[in-house]
Amino acid sequence: MIPEVAVSNRDKAYALLEADANKILKLIKVQMDNLTMPQCPLYEEVLDTQMFGLSREIDFAVRLKLVSEEDGKALLENLERQLNVLHEAAQKS
């Protein structure tokens, strides 16, 4: 049986990672709506930096066994899908 504290820490770790993913999505949405287009090098640099940072956070949480590797990958893939939707919408405007 897994101690309740361990489950609580896992839930908190995943919630923090999910919140960071949502912050990235909001940042990119604001950037696309107000500042730059997806073809802009600044946009690409911000996106790459944010995604790299999140992937490192996820790797750290996985190594601490706070998040499963599968959940971490799913979180990144979900964010990438949402960002692709934003990117496609910007291309159509």
Side-chain angles (χ1 to χ4, degrees):
M1 180 170 191
I2 300 173
E4 188 175 322
V5 172
V7 172
S8 176
N9 285 340
R10 288 181 181 159
D11 290 343
K12 287 178 189 176
Y14 190 83
L16 289 171
L17 292 170
E18 195 170 40
D20 285 350
N22 287 331
K23 286 178 192 174
I24 292 170
L25 186 62
K26 287 178 185 174
L27 171 70
I28 296 302
K29 183 170 179 11
V30 166
Q31 188 175 359
M32 289 176 78
D33 288 347
N34 300 306
L35 303 172
T36 58
M37 293 304 295
Q39 300 84 2
C40 175
L42 179 61
Y43 164 84
E44 291 177 6
E45 187 172 324
V46 168
L47 180 57
D48 289 347
T49 301
Q50 294 295 317
M51 292 298 287
F52 178 77
L54 181 61
S55 71
R56 300 310 306 147
E57 286 182 52
I58 291 171
D59 286 345
F60 185 69
V62 167
R63 288 185 3 230
L64 290 175
K65 302 201 182 314
L66 293 172
V67 174
S68 72
E69 191 171 341
E70 295 79 22
D71 286 346
K73 283 182 182 181
L75 189 63
L76 274 177
E77 288 170 359
N78 182 45
L79 178 57
E80 288 172 355
R81 274 193 300 277
Q82 292 180 57
L83 290 169
N84 283 335
V85 168
L86 282 178
H87 183 76
E88 288 173 14
Q91 295 292 329
K92 292 178 183 177
S93 339

